[in-house]
Amino acid sequence: MKNTLLSLLLLTGSTLTSYAQKTDWSKKNWSKPEATEFWDVKPPIVTPAQKPGDAPSDAMVLFNGTTMNQWVMSKDGSPANWNLKDGAMTVKLNTGDIQTKEQFGSCQLHVEFKIPADSKNSADPHNAGNSGVFLQERYEVQIFDSYQDEVPLYSNGQCGSLYKQAIPLANACSQPGEWNTYDIFYTEPSFHPNGAVNVPAYVTVVHNGILVLNHFQIQGPIAYIGVPKYEPHGKASLKLQGHGSEVSFRNIWIRPL
């Protein structure tokens, strides 16, 4: 029982891990309920947002609808020049991706996005609401006009997929022209000193309140062609893709974990 409890403690987080290492387990009286009670370590207090979907007290707001000063162009690091209007930032065609100035690892991420109402009229069907949320600049949660499967596309490339790796568990897309919400829970990978993968990355995605990726083990950086292969890396930026469609974003916040 003692070994089982210690193993559980070691899995619950760095604070409890430190506490467990300092505990003299040989002095525990395992016949008493107090042996399995911990009073000295408490989780931090976080105040929830008053409105569901808004940022809690410990979140970093990346976009609040008024300025893009947390973002730069991915290609050259210049100030983000997407269109800013009515509390949203919208892909400016032919300018490329944007990414955060700050770098992140494991996190809880909230993103709201809107696919153009006329996306189905795109000359290239692959540009029908096409964009994406790139975690650590490498792992893409796809954005696409997959509403009612009206635009044909391979299933592991539709909205809510981990692009070219995981088919979403459900199609939860709002109608084009209406807002969608992603709540993303991401665990960064770790690597051995020789570059080999120690622990792979994992991602859980809730799309419009519906679970679409459930603790999916990411196979490596997104690859349009070929098999994904991990490369050692540290913290990196959050990136939003400009892919030929005027997708809009609002209310973006992150909680580093």
Side-chain angles (χ1 to χ4, degrees):
M1 178 180 176
K2 178 173 68 175
N3 291 337
T4 300
L5 180 62
L6 179 57
S7 298
L8 289 172
L9 279 169
L10 293 172
L11 293 173
T12 57
S14 58
T15 302
L16 279 181
T17 298
S18 176
Y19 180 78
Q21 291 171 344
K22 296 176 182 178
T23 299
D24 187 350
W25 298 94
S26 64
K27 295 182 179 179
K28 289 282 187 179
N29 183 348
W30 297 99
S31 66
K32 301 290 186 179
E34 293 81 4
T36 55
E37 296 172 358
F38 298 93
W39 293 78
D40 298 334
V41 178
K42 296 184 182 297
I45 295 173
V46 177
T47 304
Q50 293 184 354
K51 178 183 175 183
D54 284 354
S57 62
D58 66 340
M60 177 180 182
V61 177
L62 298 175
F63 179 66
N64 65 2
T66 61
T67 177
M68 293 187 289
N69 61 4
Q70 298 275 8
W71 302 81
V72 296
M73 301 306 298
S74 296
K75 60 185 178 183
D76 57 13
S78 62
N81 66 357
W82 284 7
N83 297 313
L84 178 61
K85 184 180 179 181
D86 298 331
M89 58 181 179
T90 300
V91 174
K92 186 175 181 180
L93 298 181
N94 303 315
T95 62
D97 306 339
I98 64 172
Q99 64 187 52
T100 56
K101 295 178 181 178
E102 290 277 344
Q103 296 186 328
F104 304 99
S106 300
C107 65
Q108 174 186 351
L109 174 67
H110 180 91
V111 178
E112 296 178 16
F113 63 93
K114 181 172 65 174
I115 290 168
D118 63 349
S119 64
K120 292 178 179 60
N121 297 330
S122 173
D124 180 358
H126 284 184
N127 280 340
N130 199 339
S131 183
V133 177
F134 280 78
L135 303 162
Q136 294 196 298
E137 305 175 38
R138 294 166 173 82
Y139 314 110
E140 181 188 9
V141 180
Q142 172 76 321
I143 292 173
F144 193 79
D145 180 6
S146 297
Y147 178 70
Q148 300 294 304
D149 291 326
E150 292 175 358
V151 179
L153 188 70
Y154 42 94
S155 297
N156 58 346
Q158 73 175 67
C159 197
S161 66
L162 200 288
Y163 185 70
K164 283 288 186 89
Q165 294 189 29
I167 300 171
L169 300 171
N171 183 337
C173 289
S174 296
Q175 185 172 343
E178 298 179 355
W179 287 98
N180 290 262
T181 298
Y182 273 162
D183 286 293
I184 298 172
F185 307 88
Y186 170 69
T187 303
E188 66 186 308
S190 64
F191 301 90
H192 292 288
N194 64 2
V197 177
N198 178 30
V199 180
Y202 289 88
V203 66
T204 294
V205 178
V206 177
H207 182 191
N208 291 334
I210 297 171
L211 183 67
V212 296
L213 292 177
N214 186 18
H215 195 59
F216 175 75
Q217 179 179 312
I218 298 175
Q219 300 161 27
I222 296 306
Y224 180 56
I225 299 174
V227 178
K229 297 179 181 178
Y230 271 108
E231 54 186 20
H233 65 84
K235 296 185 185 303
S237 299
L238 171 70
K239 184 166 68 173
L240 301 178
Q241 186 182 44
H243 196 297
S245 180
E246 295 176 300
V247 176
S248 298
F249 295 87
R250 71 179 186 188
N251 192 23
I252 304 174
W253 52 264
I254 192 167
R255 296 181 65 244
L257 302 176

